[in-house]
Amino acid sequence: MKKVNLFAICIMACLLAGCEPKVTEQKPTVLTLDVTEVTTHSAQVSCNVVSDGGSPVIDRGVAYDIYPNPKATGTKCKAGTGTGKYTCSLTELQDNKRYYVRAYAKNEIGIQYGKEVSFTTIKEIFPPKVSTGGITNILLTSATISGLIINDGGADITECGIVYSTSENPTILNDKVLAEIVEEKTEVFRCELTGLQEQTTYFVRAYAINEKGIAYGEERTFNTKQSEIPVVTTVAVTHVYYASAIISGNITSDGGKDIIECGIVYSTHQNPTLSNNKVTNGRGIGNFSCQITGLQDNTTYYACAYAINEVGVAYGNQIKIETKKNIQEYVDLGLSVKWATCNVGANDYTEYGDYFAWGETQPKEIYDWSTYKYCDGSSSSLTKYNTESVYGLVDNKTQLTLSDDAAHVNWGGDWRMPTMEEVAELINNCDCDRIIIDEKNYCILSSSILSYQGK
């Protein structure tokens, strides 16, 4: 009985042993855990092989690429063999680029990948790159310098401009001029340097700043100009009378310094200077004219325009003036005054002569309040020869002073313009017969003594 039972037990044990299932090998199980320590060119990827699938893991690591679904047959970082946690250090990555990573593990059966994870490397920032451009508009105490930001270094430009010094290699610790920050890298910026010393060598560099640092362009040099005497030309002589003439001049350069005085010098001798006679006319660059008066009739004069700045005096070319011979005649009509036989500026009674504004001794092209000598641009702003306050300053002058008298200034001697009373006397005490000669209107004035033909 015992022997039978023991045999039965052995038979059953053998049957049970023969029915145990056979284990099937699989690919490993691997997890992509995390991406840390991301920099401009590197990152750390943590992974874990949780099962070898029944066959030893002979290779493991991280597959990565800039495209999704990276494979171990491509770019990868190997991390040994076996199961368990591991970390891969990805290096030589591109900055500011998105990468896709997957953990992988390989056994005899094949390769298995973990979940895909992506990350973006940090943008790499460099100091900007800037170029110093041209130097223009070099004057006594100023100049214009241009610059160009070639590259912003990957970050916004927070400041740019020009640094300058009388020593080499200027920096922002020296003098600087800020420029407006340009939006486009190819856009040129310009800075005007002012307050410089004349006739001095300056060193300049463009500069630009971003969060990474400061960059300087090439060093360039320039010399400020030296101030000089002005450049002036004697233009022309016009309206030559018996005792006066008008000389025009033109200042084309102030020499780098303000014009202190300008005008006309004249003399009966050649090459007149300030030690001779002069007439002034303001200051500043441009055209000007002066009327010289008190001349002798039938006399040769020489005149030059001149201009003065703090450096010195400059003279223009010499112009010759020959005043007319005073052959002006008068006629006695038996009145309180004698009358000229022609108008100022005319050679005889057949010519019109020149036109003058009241109180002015020079003829001009425009007769308007804006050009009148004795007002501030309007009929209500008179400064002389006014009897009513509504028209400006009241001085109650109704008779010209000799210096404002066109006849006296241009003809000299005792000649002067008639008063209103004298004109009224002429009209009231003479007969006037109007005639036409050569299509011109004339009137013949006659009195009991003499007659006068006037235009």
Side-chain angles (χ1 to χ4, degrees), residues 139-389:
L139 301 175
L140 295 174
T141 59
S142 64
T144 301
I145 320 295
S146 63
L148 174 65
I149 297 175
I150 300 173
N151 192 305
D152 62 9
D156 291 338
I157 299 297
T158 57
E159 181 179 308
C160 63
I162 300 294
V163 294
Y164 63 99
S165 174
T166 54
S167 302
E168 295 182 357
N169 299 316
T171 70
I172 57 173
L173 299 179
N174 299 110
D175 292 314
K176 67 178 181 178
V177 177
L178 300 181
E180 290 188 8
I181 297 175
V182 296
E183 297 295 332
E184 300 293 334
K185 298 183 183 66
T186 57
E187 187 176 351
V188 174
F189 63 83
R190 291 179 176 81
C191 295
E192 183 179 4
L193 279 52
T194 59
L196 307 179
Q197 301 177 28
E198 65 177 85
Q199 202 178 5
T200 301
T201 299
Y202 282 89
F203 300 86
V204 297
R205 294 196 292 178
Y207 77 95
I209 301 175
N210 67 7
E211 64 181 72
K212 189 69 175 180
I214 182 170
Y216 295 97
E218 311 90 327
E219 181 177 78
R220 302 190 187 280
T221 64
F222 68 94
N223 295 316
T224 51
K225 292 185 178 180
Q226 181 181 9
S227 56
E228 302 172 341
I229 61 174
V231 177
V232 60
T233 303
T234 313
V235 178
V237 55
T238 59
H239 299 93
V240 180
Y241 300 108
Y242 310 130
S244 69
I246 297 177
I247 314 296
S248 58
N250 184 25
I251 301 172
T252 56
S253 171
D254 60 9
K257 299 291 184 179
D258 291 339
I259 300 297
I260 301 171
E261 180 181 302
C262 64
I264 301 294
V265 292
Y266 63 99
S267 173
T268 55
H269 301 290
Q270 295 196 39
N271 303 314
T273 66
L274 290 173
S275 61
N276 300 114
N277 300 303
K278 72 172 183 176
V279 179
T280 61
N281 187 345
R283 58 189 66 188
I285 295 177
N287 294 303
F288 65 91
S289 64
C290 295
Q291 185 179 38
I292 56 178
T293 61
L295 305 180
Q296 298 294 321
D297 73 306
N298 197 30
T299 303
T300 299
Y301 288 88
Y302 300 91
C304 298
Y306 77 92
I308 303 174
N309 64 11
E310 65 179 61
V311 179
V313 58
Y315 295 98
N317 48 299
Q318 179 176 272
I319 284 183
K320 186 177 181 180
I321 307 169
E322 293 181 339
T323 56
K324 295 180 180 180
K325 183 178 180 180
N326 193 348
I327 56 173
Q328 182 58 48
E329 298 178 342
Y330 62 86
V331 61
D332 187 350
L333 295 173
L335 306 176
S336 61
V337 294
K338 301 177 178 62
W339 288 80
T341 57
C342 67
N343 294 324
V344 178
N347 294 312
D348 57 49
Y349 73 92
T350 63
E351 297 179 357
Y352 287 101
D354 292 324
Y355 295 88
F356 300 88
W358 179 257
E360 294 185 349
T361 60
Q362 298 184 46
K364 54 190 179 184
E365 295 181 359
I366 299 175
Y367 291 84
D368 187 82
W369 291 114
S370 63
T371 64
Y372 184 49
K373 180 178 180 180
Y374 293 118
C375 80
D376 293 327
S378 69
S379 60
S380 61
S381 61
L382 293 177
T383 58
K384 194 174 182 180
Y385 300 116
N386 180 36
T387 59
E388 297 183 32
S389 60

Side-chain angles (χ1 to χ4, degrees), residues 388-403:
E388 297 183 32
S389 60
V390 68
Y391 296 119
L393 179 66
V394 175
D395 60 4
N396 291 316
K397 287 183 177 291
T398 58
Q399 185 170 345
L400 293 171
T401 59
L402 291 179
S403 61

Side-chain angles (χ1 to χ4, degrees), residues 412-427:
D414 295 329
W415 291 105
R416 65 173 176 80
M417 298 294 289
T419 65
M420 294 298 293
E421 292 77 12
E422 290 165 346
V423 173
E425 179 189 34
L426 177 68
I427 295 172

